[in-house]
Amino acid sequence: MKEYRFILGGYTRRSNKGIHILNIGIDGLGHEKADNKGCMNSSLAGKEKLACDKLLGPRAKDQSRLLLEIEDPSYMALEANKLFVLSSRDEGGVLAYDFDKERGQLDFISEVGKLGKAPCHLYFDQKKSLLYASNYHLGRLDILSLDKVGLSLAKSIGLEGSGPVSPNQDGPRCHMAIKDPNDKYTLVVNLGGDRIDTYCIDDNRAVLVASYQTRPGMGPRHMVFGPDSKYAYLMGELDSTVEVLAYDDVKGILRHVNRVSSLPVGSESFTGNSGAAIKVSKIKNKAGKYNLYVSNRGHDSLSVYELGDEGGIRFLQNIGSGGKNPRDFALSPDEKFILVGHQDSNDIVLFERLGDGSLVKSKRLDSRLDEIVCIIPLD
Ligand SMILES: O=C1O[C@H](COP(=O)(O)O)[C@@H](O)[C@H](O)[C@H]1O
């Protein structure tokens, strides 16, 4: 039996508040043998659910345990043997831990609290030992420094701008900040201002070097760079589109190349959707291409694309996510599976990736969290 481990962060009204480690065992065939519609229905109970579990194979190795007890953990960042955690604790806090992955044990290093509101995304810039905490609610990027003494707030950048969608775009909303593939610039995604700002950042200085304006009302939420580093892919929370951008890594400039719907053909005008996570494979599929995956909250599905040359993107598949509002998902380290967590149902659903990168449901597990915000795979 092959085992996969993931860390899950999110909110719950139940007693086991905190970050959990989930172990999933895969025995033989990864995907379901029969019609999976019923099995993925989270409302199944009692005998029906047992029958469904039987169909999906042995679950003896599927288990979840509390890794860290903490108030409303949200996004996390894992880098080598360090785990960084966002929490609503202490009016918005960032916590740093040494992480023994083998033993699944955390040792507290340091924390910074009283940020005003809990940030929604966290990224660790290993080269500069800086943490980027994106604060959606305050429209601000907080930059924290980690040194021998611990964590401290180095600098805050107040974002600017607004957009046509109210209330989401009444002001700036900082949803993500990541380094570019060359580890040179920091790209800051501003959902409220329909903007991606490129900064050159070090300990005490943040210089804005470029700014990309998306189409009005896109509400960019998350972005990811493709494996060739030349193109970035942007997920629009508010208009359910995926935008392909060419990246000039010398100047930090983004340029529009392509746009596709995050919804399947015929459903593009579906209005009850919020785009959420966007991830890209690092290993080529059997056709020699990379795959891009996005999650749709409301449409409750994942869309799968194949990435072509020169910023090409081809829709491959749309599949039900097996729960309500898939907020985050993660590829397993070997990229054979994708684990999806939901915002408004307890379903954690494992999908097997087929040769072309398309997905087939593998199994459903009960989450101990009511609202999963972040999923990180463990090697
Ligand atoms: O994706 C989203 O994120 C923001 C921030 O998350 P939060 O859990 O810190 O509130 C959220 O408010 C927004 O509605 C959602 O679409």
Side-chain angles (χ1 to χ4, degrees):
M1 179 181 287
K2 171 108 177 137
E3 270 190 64
Y4 293 91
R5 293 189 305 157
F6 294 86
I7 317 179
L8 309 180
Y11 316 135
T12 185
R13 292 169 293 283
R14 291 180 263 176
S15 57
N16 42 12
K17 285 187 192 323
I19 290 170
H20 296 254
I21 286 199
L22 176 68
N23 268 58
I24 304 175
I26 299 292
D27 198 0
L29 198 68
H31 58 266
E32 290 172 38
K33 294 170 205 155
D35 166 43
N36 57 34
K37 278 187 190 141
C39 282
M40 289 302 135
N41 184 341
S42 58
S43 62
L44 287 183
K47 273 186 191 163
E48 243 186 326
K49 186 169 181 304
L50 269 178
C52 171
D53 292 346
K54 232 178 175 178
L55 180 72
L56 300 183
R59 295 183 52 167
K61 287 273 182 181
D62 298 342
Q63 46 188 283
S64 163
R65 76 170 175 83
L66 195 64
L67 174 65
L68 172 71
E69 198 176 333
I70 192 164
E71 194 67 27
D72 288 342
S74 66
Y75 223 85
M76 299 170 282
L78 175 65
E79 193 59 64
N81 61 344
K82 296 222 167 3
L83 185 70
F84 303 97
V85 176
L86 292 174
S87 159
S88 65
R89 169 174 151 167
D90 200 15
E91 298 160 42
V94 182
L95 300 100
Y97 296 86
D98 275 321
F99 184 28
D100 182 336
K101 285 187 205 165
E102 284 312 306
R103 292 163 63 205
Q105 202 173 302
L106 293 174
D107 279 318
F108 176 76
I109 303 174
S110 180
E111 79 179 295
V112 165
K114 299 201 171 27
L115 292 171
K117 290 246 181 194
C120 67
H121 186 268
L122 196 57
Y123 181 93
F124 184 54
D125 179 344
Q126 196 175 24
K127 194 165 130 194
K128 293 177 178 163
S129 203
L130 295 174
L131 269 172
Y132 303 125
S134 298
N135 202 311
Y136 176 93
H137 300 282
L138 300 175
R140 196 179 74 199
L141 177 69
D142 290 329
I143 303 167
L144 296 96
S145 158
L146 178 70
D147 58 23
K148 282 179 192 143
V149 183
L151 275 178
S152 59
L153 184 62
K155 190 170 183 59
S156 291
I157 304 173
L159 303 192
E160 286 174 12
S162 58
V165 181
S166 189
N168 317 55
Q169 298 191 310
D170 289 351
R173 303 265 184 215
C174 186
H175 219 311
M176 176 186 242
I178 54 168
K179 288 300 285 292
D180 73 5
N182 286 344
D183 221 1
K184 185 174 176 187
Y185 296 117
T186 303
L187 291 116
V188 182
V189 183
N190 178 351
L191 183 146
D194 285 327
R195 262 170 78 156
I196 315 298
D197 290 331
T198 307
Y199 282 92
C200 190
I201 294 179
D202 59 34
D203 268 354
N204 37 39
R205 195 178 72 104
V207 180
L208 181 65
V209 295
S211 208
Y212 176 76
Q213 198 76 42
T214 72
R215 76 171 182 183
M218 179 186 189
R221 181 181 189 267
H222 278 185
M223 75 186 287
V224 69
F225 279 92
D228 67 1
S229 308
K230 288 186 196 154
Y231 296 94
Y233 304 87
L234 194 58
M235 179 64 171
E237 175 171 319
L238 304 179
D239 73 354
S240 303
T241 65
V242 178
E243 186 173 6
V244 184
L245 300 160
Y247 183 60
D248 175 340
D249 58 1
V250 177
K251 295 178 179 160
I253 292 173
L254 293 162
R255 177 178 54 82
H256 172 85
V257 173
N258 221 332
R259 183 190 311 281
V260 288
S261 174
S262 72
L263 299 168
V265 178
S267 302
E268 295 95 333
S269 54
F270 178 72
T271 48
N273 192 59
S274 290
I278 181 162
K279 308 276 164 100
V280 69
S281 65
K282 294 187 181 77
I283 304 169
K284 283 182 177 163
N285 66 19
K286 281 194 176 149
K289 305 280 185 193
Y290 297 104
N291 293 110
L292 184 81
Y293 298 87
V294 299
S295 62
N296 292 304
R297 292 175 291 183
H299 193 261
D300 294 340
S301 65
L302 302 179
S303 287
V304 185
Y305 305 86
E306 189 173 85
L307 300 180
D309 301 330
E310 311 298 323
I313 182 165
R314 188 171 74 87
F315 175 84
L316 213 59
Q317 180 198 24
N318 178 267
I319 184 168
S321 66
K324 271 194 196 149
N325 292 333
R327 179 159 172 162
D328 200 22
F329 62 89
L331 281 100
S332 61
D334 61 7
E335 300 198 338
K336 289 189 173 155
F337 293 91
I338 281 186
L339 188 71
V340 183
H342 294 87
Q343 195 170 321
D344 292 303
S345 69
N346 295 333
D347 309 281
I348 312 176
V349 183
L350 189 74
F351 290 81
E352 186 186 0
R353 286 183 72 224
L354 302 182
D356 63 352
S358 61
L359 302 174
V360 56
K361 277 170 189 160
S362 175
K363 56 174 142 181
R364 175 200 166 271
L365 299 108
D366 263 318
S367 168
R368 294 191 178 184
L369 298 165
D370 296 314
E371 185 175 341
I372 293 175
V373 176
C374 181
I375 302 184
I376 295 182
L378 278 183
D379 293 334

